[in-house]
């Protein structure tokens, strides 16, 4: 520290700093400096203004010139509006079609100087800045209507200085480009009024059920009161707050001389009467069907989602409101679906189409709340169809290859190069007819039959029905619906539609044609007719599938009219987590009447040990099919499945042979079952014998084990006694050793005590001897000094040193 002070004094820093401040003071008093500074500031200000003006003029507000979007309308099979594709959340209204007091009310409550400023109100901004600074937070805003329009259309809602600066620039550019009335028109058609209403037209319909042109002064004031906080001031939420806010707007209009006192009183006295119906009955209607219409329009006709939502198209479809409503009603009844162990619901999708045209009459894409463009389980799902696939992959090609419903199929335990199919009931019957295999959904006969036909034949017919496969599908598990990628309910309904339409499969489609908003044609559906199987095959398949509902696994789907169908159940994955569980991954029912074809799928998004299906396709899916078809066909005349005269004649000729073959197969089956019973009884007897031997062996082993246990127990007791005696001996020895050590310690302590006392006595004697010696020495020295003094006194000629430092006899002269 002292060194620093010394350096400070030697360097004269203090003096130099004083001189520097004096020089700065002289320069600040210079007029030339101030003149140059003013010139520089003026140049910078001018450059900043020019740059800002160029930046403002460079803002692109051409988006405001784009026509406001118009929703596309979906029309049903009768040509009536059924749903609305409303990405366009608003219906635009021209400024001249608005009542004069609606813009006045908006200006009065949101931007009183709207017609005076240039897009940005600098005075309001300064006032808001001061009040917010005084309050220590945001208590007042200063955005103009033009700024809010700029923010809504061009900017995000982030709170940054850069975004605010851009908002100001765009607002000024908008004000320079458009008239005030046009800006108000754009603003009123864009803002949110609450309750899902965007724009004044939707707001007028939502709150009052009228067009915007019919609004009264009081109604206009109420709408103007909402944009600040729609959910807070909504009359549907709090009528008193809405009334207070409306009257405040009216008072502001009066204070700003926009209405007269008479108009004020009349409007304040007018009660708020709300519309109790939906604002737009079409918006969000039939969401699953609408989602598929959009997907089909994108995939087949190249229209984008934005074009569909905002382009004002008229989309004519095959939607049947009666069918669609029946499906949606059924899907709202939770008791028709399997329960879930937690909040994860069992999902499902269903589709109904007209087999004669391929027109899709109804779609339910999911359970729960509808989701715009959400995953559609009826059209987008790909899952293994299980036994519902057997008519397509096995029985259709078998019928065309000459097999009959009474043909004999093998039902024994078989091994196809390691693939060993099992029937659901784990039984075999030796032989069954084809119709029995279909009705009871036996797996082994189906796989045996595909093996006889050849996997390639099965793949050929799958492709005939328009269902794609992969290279990994070329195996016998295809007979039971074991597919690599799977199928959707729409694909299954389309395939089964061929059985209901004399073997002709029509391209499934929702859209019949699309018109632009000016009435010109945008697209028309191209429906392909494909002869998937021969009419006789379709007739025979229908009779087989009728048996499934009447006498087989699909009895829960039975209607009060002719119906045919097939159940489908897929097994759980062969993984460790599912071992020991009895259930399924997916369950299906696909069926048809002469009028309609339907497919129903159920399952979980993610199958795990907690979330899997505990029922089969013959349970919940069959019941849902029954309920949908019953309601969809209510009041419709009952129709029978038609067959050709040639098929009816051939069936009569086959009746005798069919009876004989059925009896032979039944006799063979009984013999097989009898042999199985005998084998089973022999097996049971053998098992009983083995069980008796095992029981005797177990008893012998049990006695031996008891004997060994007793011996081991005795040995343990002996060892415990020996151990106890050893512990006692050790404890006695430890006690004796402890006592000996205690005595030794006491003896040692006594010896140490005596030794200490002896040393203390010797030390005391030594101290006494030392003291006596010191006293004698002191006495001798005293006597010596006394003698020397006496000698000095006698001599008188010299002085004898009496100090210790001189030697004896020395003199000083």
């Amino acid at each position: 520290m002292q060194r620093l002070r010394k350096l400070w004094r030697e360097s004269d820093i203090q003096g130099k700093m004083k001189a520097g401040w004096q020089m700065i003071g002289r320069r600040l008093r210079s007029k030339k400096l101030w003149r140059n500074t003013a010139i520089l500031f003026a140049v910078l200000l001018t450059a900043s203004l020019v740059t800002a003006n160029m930046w403002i003029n460079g803002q692109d507000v051409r988006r405001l010139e784009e026509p406001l979007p118009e929703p596309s309308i979906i029309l049903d099979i009768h040509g009536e509006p059924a749903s609305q594709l409303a990405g366009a959340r608003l219906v635009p209204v021209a400024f001249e079609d608005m009542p004069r007091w609606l813009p006045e009310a908006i200006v009065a409550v949101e931007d009183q100087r709207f017609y005076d400023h240039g897009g940005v109100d600098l005075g309001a901004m300064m006032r808001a800045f001061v009040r917010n600074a005084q309050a220590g937070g945001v208590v007042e805003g200063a955005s103009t209507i033009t700024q809010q329009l700029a923010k809504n259309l061009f900017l995000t809602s982030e709170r940054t200085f850069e975004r605010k600066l851009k908002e100001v620039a765009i607002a000024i550019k908008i004000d320079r480009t458009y008239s005030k009335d046009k800006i108000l028109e754009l603003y009123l058609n864009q803002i949110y009024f609450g309750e899902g209403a965007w724009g004044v037209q939707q707001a007028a319909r939502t709150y009052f059920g009228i067009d915007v042109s019919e609004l009264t002064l009081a109604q206009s004031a109420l709408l103007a009161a909402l944009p600040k906080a729609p959910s807070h001031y909504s009359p549907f939420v709090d009528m008193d707050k809405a009334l207070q806010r409306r009257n405040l707007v009216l008072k502001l209009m009066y204070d700003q001389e926009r209405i007269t006192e008479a108009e004020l009183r009349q409007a304040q006295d007018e009660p708020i009467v709300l519309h109790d119906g939906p604002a737009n009955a079409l918006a969000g209607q039939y969401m699953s069907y609408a989602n598929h219409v959009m997907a089909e329009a994108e995939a087949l006709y190249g229209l984008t989602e934005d074009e569909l939502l905002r382009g004002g198209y008229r989309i004519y479809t095959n939607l049947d409101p009666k069918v669609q409503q029946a499906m949606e009603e059924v899907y709202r009844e939770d008791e028709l679906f399997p329960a879930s162990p937690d909040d994860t619901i069992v999902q499902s999708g269903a589709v109904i189409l007209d087999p004669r045209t391929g027109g899709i009459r109804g779609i339910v894409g999911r359970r729960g709340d509808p989701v715009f463009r959400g995953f559609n389980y009826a059209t987008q799902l790909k899952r293994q169809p299980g036994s519902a696939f057997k008519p397509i992959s096995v029985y259709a090609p078998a019928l065309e290859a000459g097999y009959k419903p009474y043909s004999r199929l093998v039902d024994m335990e078989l091994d196809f190069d390691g693939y060993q199919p099992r029937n659901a009931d784990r039984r075999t019957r030796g032989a069954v007819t084809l119709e029995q295999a279909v009705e009871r959904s036996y797996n082994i006969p189906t796989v045996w039959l595909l093996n006889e036909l050849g996997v390639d034949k099965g793949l050929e017919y799958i492709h005939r029905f328009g269902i794609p496969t992969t290279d990994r599908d070329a195996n016998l598990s295809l007979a039971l619906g074991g597919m690599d990628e799977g199928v959707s309910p729409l694909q299954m309904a389309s395939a089964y539609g061929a059985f209901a339409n004399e073997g002709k499969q029509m391209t499934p489609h929702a859209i019949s044609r699309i018109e632009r908003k000016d009435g010109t044609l945008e697209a028309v559906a191209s429906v392909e007719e494909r002869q998937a199987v021969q009419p006789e095959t379709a007739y025979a398949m229908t009779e087989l599938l009728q048996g499934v509902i009447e006498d087989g696994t699909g009895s829960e789907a039975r209607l009060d009219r002719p119906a045919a169908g097939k159940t489908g159940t897929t097994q759980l994955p062969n993984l460790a987590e599912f071992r020991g569980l009895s259930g399924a991954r997916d369950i299906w029912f696909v069926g048809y009447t002469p009028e309609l074809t339907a497919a129903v799928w159920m399952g979980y998004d993610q199958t795990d040990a907690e979330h899997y299906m505990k029922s089969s396709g013959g349970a919940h899916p069959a019941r849902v099919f029954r309920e949908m078809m019953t309601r969809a066909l209510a009041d419709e005349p009952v129709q029978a499945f038609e067959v050709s005269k040639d098929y009816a004649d051939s069936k009569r000729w086959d009746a005798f042979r069919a009876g004989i073959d059925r009896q032979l197969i039944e006799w063979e089956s009984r013999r097989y079952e009898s042999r199985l019973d005998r084998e089973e009884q022999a097996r049971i007897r053998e098992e009983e014998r083995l069980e008796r031997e095992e029981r005797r062996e177990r008893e012998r082993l049990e006695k031996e084990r008891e004997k060994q246990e007793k011996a081991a127990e005795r040995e343990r007791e002996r060892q415990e006694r020996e151990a106890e005696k050893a512990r006692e001996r050790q404890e006695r020895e430890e006690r004796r050793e402890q006592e000996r050590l205690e005595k030794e310690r006491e003896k040692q302590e006594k010896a140490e005590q005596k030794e200490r006392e002896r040393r203390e006595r010797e030390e005391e004697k030594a101290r006494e001897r030392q003291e006596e010696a010191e006293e004698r020495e002191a006495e001798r020295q005293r006597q010596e000094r006394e003698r020397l003094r006496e000698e000095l006194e006698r001599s008188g000629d010299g002085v004898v040193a009496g100090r210790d430092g001189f030697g004896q006899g020395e003199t000083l002269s």
Side-chain angles (χ1 to χ4, degrees), residues 64 95 149 178-187:
L64 292 170
F95 184 84
L149 178 62
Y178 299 97
S179 67
K180 293 291 185 178
D181 289 349
K182 185 62 176 179
I183 293 172
L184 269 177
E185 175 189 316
L186 293 168
Y187 178 70

Side-chain angles (χ1 to χ4, degrees), residues 659-677:
I660 294 175
D661 285 353
R662 288 191 182 98
Q663 289 180 0
L664 289 173
I665 293 171
E666 184 178 351
W667 175 75
E668 181 181 353
S669 178
R670 284 199 300 270
R671 285 187 60 194
Y672 178 81
E673 289 180 353
S674 298
R675 181 172 62 82
L676 287 183
D677 288 341

Side-chain angles (χ1 to χ4, degrees), residues 334-351:
D334 291 340
E335 62 273 13
L336 292 174
F337 296 85
S340 180
D342 51 30
D343 294 336
T344 305
I345 65 172
V346 173
Q347 268 301 347
S348 181
V351 60

Side-chain angles (χ1 to χ4, degrees), residues 94-311:
F95 184 84
E96 53 269 19
D97 293 331
M98 301 178 189
R100 67 173 181 83
W101 35 64
L102 178 58
E104 295 282 355
I106 287 288
V107 169
V109 71
E110 293 200 18
D111 191 357
Q112 299 179 18
R113 299 186 62 254
F114 174 72
Y115 287 98
D116 300 325
H117 59 64
V120 177
D121 192 344
L122 295 177
M125 292 178 70
M126 293 302 297
R127 183 172 62 253
F129 176 78
V130 172
R131 292 185 179 177
N132 292 337
Q134 292 174 345
V138 180
V139 296
E140 180 176 334
S143 293
T144 64
I145 287 175
T146 315
Q147 284 178 264
Q148 294 180 58
L149 178 62
K151 181 177 67 174
N152 291 342
L153 288 183
F154 299 100
L155 302 170
T156 65
S157 58
E158 60 178 343
R159 292 177 174 268
T160 62
F161 178 76
E162 181 182 355
R163 198 226 24 109
K164 191 67 177 179
L165 196 62
K166 191 171 181 65
E167 176 189 305
V168 169
I170 295 175
I172 295 173
K173 178 64 180 291
I174 291 173
D175 195 81
R176 292 177 181 178
T177 307
Y178 299 97
S179 67
K180 293 291 185 178
D181 289 349
K182 185 62 176 179
I183 293 172
L184 269 177
E185 175 189 316
L186 293 168
Y187 178 70
L188 288 168
N189 278 319
Q190 296 282 354
I191 57 175
Y192 184 58
F193 287 89
E195 305 297 334
W198 293 83
V200 289
Q201 179 65 12
Q202 289 282 52
R205 290 176 177 173
T206 297
Y207 290 98
F208 307 114
I210 59 176
D211 288 332
V212 67
S213 60
E214 304 173 42
L215 291 173
T216 65
L217 170 58
Q219 291 170 335
S220 299
L222 177 59
L223 293 186
L226 294 173
K228 180 180 179 180
S231 60
H232 184 71
Y233 294 118
S234 170
F236 288 112
V237 176
D238 192 323
M239 182 63 77
D240 292 337
K241 286 182 180 178
L243 184 62
Q244 293 173 8
R245 179 73 176 169
R246 183 202 71 174
N247 290 342
L248 173 62
V249 174
L250 291 169
K251 184 65 168 57
L252 289 172
M253 295 178 70
Y254 173 72
D255 293 342
Q256 298 169 29
E257 298 181 352
R258 301 180 188 276
I259 59 175
T260 64
E261 184 177 358
E263 289 174 327
L264 170 66
R265 286 197 297 269
Q266 181 180 358
Q268 287 180 336
D269 292 339
E270 182 178 319
I272 298 177
V273 180
L274 298 174
H275 177 55
D276 57 359
N280 185 352
L282 297 180
Q285 183 82 334
Y286 307 143
M287 183 68 76
S288 293
Y289 200 98
N291 285 340
H292 179 69
V293 166
M294 293 184 67
E296 190 173 294
E298 290 172 341
L300 299 183
Y301 308 117
L303 295 174
T304 66
E305 178 179 306
D306 187 64
E307 288 173 329
L308 291 167
L309 294 176
R310 303 162 67 89

Side-chain angles (χ1 to χ4, degrees), residues 55-66:
W55 184 49
I56 290 171
N57 288 332
Q59 299 299 318
D60 186 5
V61 296
R62 288 176 296 176
R63 184 176 173 185
L64 292 170
E65 299 174 6
E66 297 176 0

Side-chain angles (χ1 to χ4, degrees), residues 67-75 81 83-93 189 198 201-202 205 279-280 282-284 294 305-315 372 514-518:
L68 289 173
E70 181 179 342
S72 295
I73 302 298
I74 293 177
L75 297 100
S83 185
Q84 176 178 289
L85 304 180
R89 298 173 298 186
L90 49 87
V91 179
V93 180
N189 278 319
W198 293 83
Q201 179 65 12
Q202 289 282 52
R205 290 176 177 173
N280 185 352
L282 297 180
M294 293 184 67
E305 178 179 306
D306 187 64
E307 288 173 329
L308 291 167
L309 294 176
R310 303 162 67 89
Y313 290 99
R314 299 297 179 265
I315 306 173
F372 176 70
I514 302 175
E515 294 180 358
R516 304 181 188 93
K517 57 185 175 182
D518 61 2

